Amino acid sequence: MSSTVTQRKKKTSRQKRAMVASLVIAAVIAMGSTFAWFTSKDKVTNELSAKSTYDVSIVETYNPPTNPTPGTSITKEVAAVNTGNTAAYVQVSLENALSVTNKVASASYMLGKDYTTVTTIPTGALTIDITQTVTINGGTGYTAVQALQAGGQLVYAAGTLYSTGDLNGVNSETYTPSASGLYVFYRNTDDTYVGYYYDSSTTTYYEVTNIEVGDGASHDYTNATYWKFSFVTTETKSTSDTPSPISMTFSSVIYSSTSTNQVGIGLSDSSYIQAIYDPDSSSGSGDEIIVDIALAGTWKNVSSTNVWVSDDWAAVYVTASKTWTFYYKHILSAGTTSEDLVTSMMIDESVTSSAYTEFTYDLNVSLESVQVVGLETSINDVYLVEIPSSSITWDYTTNSTGDNKSAANNKTIYVNSEGQVCTSIGTVTEKNNLLSWTKSSK
């Protein structure tokens, strides 16, 4: 019995060992299966692409009318726009271009006793339009020739000198010439002579000027021995002429509506500069062409060195070249547009019809800019200016003294958000220092 028990125990022991071994194998298999569930392979490529675009340009609104008259304001809004993704520092320059046609006197002719008559009318001589009617003292139906004659006394007609008695039979308002030659009318109200040259073969009237009587003694037509006069022709000049271009320059100050020393009448509600063509360099003589260019904002002079500022722009007038350069006082961030610099233009009200027969004026706006890189974000927003010294010479202007400080060899020029030259931590060393640049000779 005991043997049987012993055998049972042994069997039971073997059974237990078999069961344990089975459980261990099962556990190993289970563990192996668990590890397999968390084993995987994967590949992720994280790609970052970047492209810097730099595009700063001029944006404007300009729709000029046809043949504007003096005193007519013309909208011309000029600003800078940054359509790239890189901040920039901006400089804008203004330049004049003018083509003007004026009335000028031809060579002088002398007619009368012992002087030859005109055989050839000069090329380009201006004619008088006899189809256009004008109003005189409320009347109608006068041609330009009749208007010229009206109120005068005929004193010379194609070689015939009229004495005082002969004048009684001539109605100057309705008088019509018959023979070719010079016709002169005397206006005793202001002691002047007016007239025209008539060509009977073509029934054409030509403008004349500078009419003088030659009597050897006084300004008296009754003793005339000859008449001296010039035909009126035209002359076109341009700022682009070679080798003798005409000069149209800017005024050296920025005027306001309260300025008293401007060349012309000027704009009444704006700060503005004037582009001036003065052929005889005699201001106020009536032959000037003046264009007023309105600037946005209120401007003030901050130094004696031709530096002016508004809230958004700073301007420097260069005396040698008589030109203006404007600096945007803020960094032009990507995707932004500056405040306007120019808002309108106007032919000054002081410009007279004797100043031109026709002219074309162009205000050329040019922009230069340089990329800036933000170094840090502080109360001053300091930027490092990247200087391409191989092609550009860089300077900055000290408003307090007017000295230009060279930055051409310095690659670490710092500018704050107001466009002022400063230290790397944003400290402005001299008030209103403005970064500026000019193209070098390279």
Side-chain angles (χ1 to χ4, degrees):
M1 188 167 170
S2 60
S3 175
T4 303
V5 172
T6 301
Q7 289 177 353
R8 282 182 180 176
K9 286 182 179 180
K10 289 181 178 179
K11 181 177 180 180
T12 302
S13 179
R14 287 197 299 270
Q15 290 174 341
K16 288 180 178 180
R17 286 197 296 271
M19 289 175 66
V20 170
S22 298
L23 290 173
V24 170
I25 293 171
V28 170
I29 292 173
M31 291 175 65
S33 298
T34 302
F35 288 147
W37 291 340
F38 283 93
T39 298
S40 65
K41 290 184 178 181
D42 194 6
K43 180 179 180 181
V44 177
T45 302
N46 295 305
E47 183 177 80
L48 176 63
S49 297
K51 181 180 180 181
S52 176
T53 58
Y54 185 76
D55 189 0
V56 181
S57 57
I58 296 167
V59 59
E60 71 168 14
T61 300
Y62 183 48
N63 297 301
T66 302
N67 295 327
T69 57
T72 301
S73 182
I74 304 164
T75 298
K76 182 179 177 68
E77 298 171 345
V78 176
V81 60
N82 187 346
T83 55
N85 63 5
T86 306
Y89 184 65
V90 174
Q91 166 189 296
V92 174
S93 298
L94 302 182
E95 297 176 346
N96 293 309
L98 175 72
S99 175
V100 58
T101 301
N102 284 316
K103 291 183 177 181
V104 295
S106 70
S108 295
Y109 292 85
M110 298 176 70
L111 300 176
K113 184 179 179 182
D114 300 327
Y115 292 94
T116 9
T117 58
V118 177
T119 56
T120 305
I121 297 172
T123 303
L126 297 181
T127 61
I128 302 173
D129 185 0
I130 61 173
T131 62
Q132 181 180 3
T133 58
V134 295
T135 300
I136 299 177
N137 297 328
T140 58
Y142 285 79
T143 68
V145 170
Q146 290 172 326
L148 181 68
Q149 299 172 173
Q153 297 176 322
L154 180 62
V155 295
Y156 185 81
T160 301
L161 175 64
Y162 283 74
S163 67
T164 304
D166 293 328
L167 293 174
N168 296 330
V170 176
N171 184 340
S172 59
E173 293 187 10
T174 60
Y175 179 77
T176 301
S178 56
S180 295
L182 175 68
Y183 290 79
V184 180
F185 296 81
Y186 172 65
R187 296 185 184 277
N188 56 16
T189 54
D190 55 5
D191 193 29
T192 58
Y193 295 101
V194 297
Y196 49 80
Y197 189 92
Y198 178 69
D199 183 355
S200 61
S201 65
T202 58
T203 63
T204 302
Y205 295 82
Y206 291 92
E207 287 190 48
V208 297
T209 187
N210 300 333
I211 301 175
E212 298 178 10
V213 59
D215 58 11
S218 63
H219 190 68
D220 183 1
Y221 63 87
T222 61
N223 296 319
T225 56
Y226 66 87
W227 291 90
K228 185 178 180 180
F229 74 101
S230 299
F231 286 95
V232 178
T233 62
T234 59
E235 180 180 61
T236 300
K237 297 182 178 180
S238 173
T239 52
S240 60
D241 285 347
T242 303
S244 302
I246 63 171
S247 176
M248 188 165 199
T249 58
F250 289 111
S251 56
S252 60
V253 297
I254 297 178
Y255 298 117
S256 68
S257 58
T258 58
S259 298
T260 57
N261 61 338
Q262 63 263 46
V263 177
I265 296 174
L267 298 164
S268 60
D269 58 354
S270 303
S271 295
Y272 62 96
I273 57 175
Q274 291 184 319
I276 306 163
Y277 169 61
D278 188 359
D280 61 4
S281 301
S282 177
S283 177
S285 60
D287 59 355
E288 300 91 356
I289 295 174
I290 304 172
V291 178
D292 301 327
I293 301 157
L295 303 175
T298 301
W299 293 75
K300 62 180 180 178
N301 187 208
V302 295
S303 77
S304 59
T305 55
N306 300 326
V307 180
W308 299 67
V309 296
S310 69
D311 289 341
D312 301 304
W313 294 86
V316 178
Y317 178 78
V318 181
T319 304
S321 59
K322 295 182 172 58
T323 58
W324 284 96
T325 301
F326 297 86
Y327 303 93
Y328 189 51
K329 290 171 60 178
H330 318 290
I331 300 300
L332 189 61
S333 303
T336 63
T337 300
S338 72
E339 285 77 11
D340 284 343
L341 172 61
V342 176
T343 60
S344 67
M345 298 171 59
M346 183 182 80
I347 302 173
D348 193 87
E349 293 178 84
S350 67
V351 176
T352 64
S353 58
S354 60
Y356 64 93
T357 58
E358 180 181 0
F359 78 84
T360 300
Y361 172 73
D362 292 326
L363 175 64
N364 295 325
V365 184
S366 59
L367 179 147
E368 292 187 54
S369 64
V370 62
Q371 175 180 335
V372 294
V373 178
L375 295 180
E376 56 188 281
T377 301
S378 68
I379 192 170
N380 292 298
D381 289 333
V382 180
Y383 296 82
L384 170 67
V385 178
E386 295 184 343
I387 303 177
S389 58
S390 60
S391 61
I392 296 177
T393 298
W394 294 82
D395 301 297
Y396 62 90
T397 301
T398 304
N399 290 356
S400 58
T401 63
D403 296 330
N404 285 336
K405 297 190 175 183
S406 177
N409 298 318
N410 191 342
K411 294 299 181 87
T412 55
I413 297 298
Y414 300 94
V415 180
N416 65 15
S417 59
E418 296 303 307
Q420 297 171 313
V421 177
C422 58
T423 65
S424 61
I425 59 173
T427 302
V428 178
T429 55
E430 293 178 77
K431 186 178 180 181
N432 288 331
N433 283 353
L434 298 172
L435 186 66
S436 62
W437 61 95
T438 55
K439 290 186 177 179
S440 70
S441 58
K442 295 181 180 180

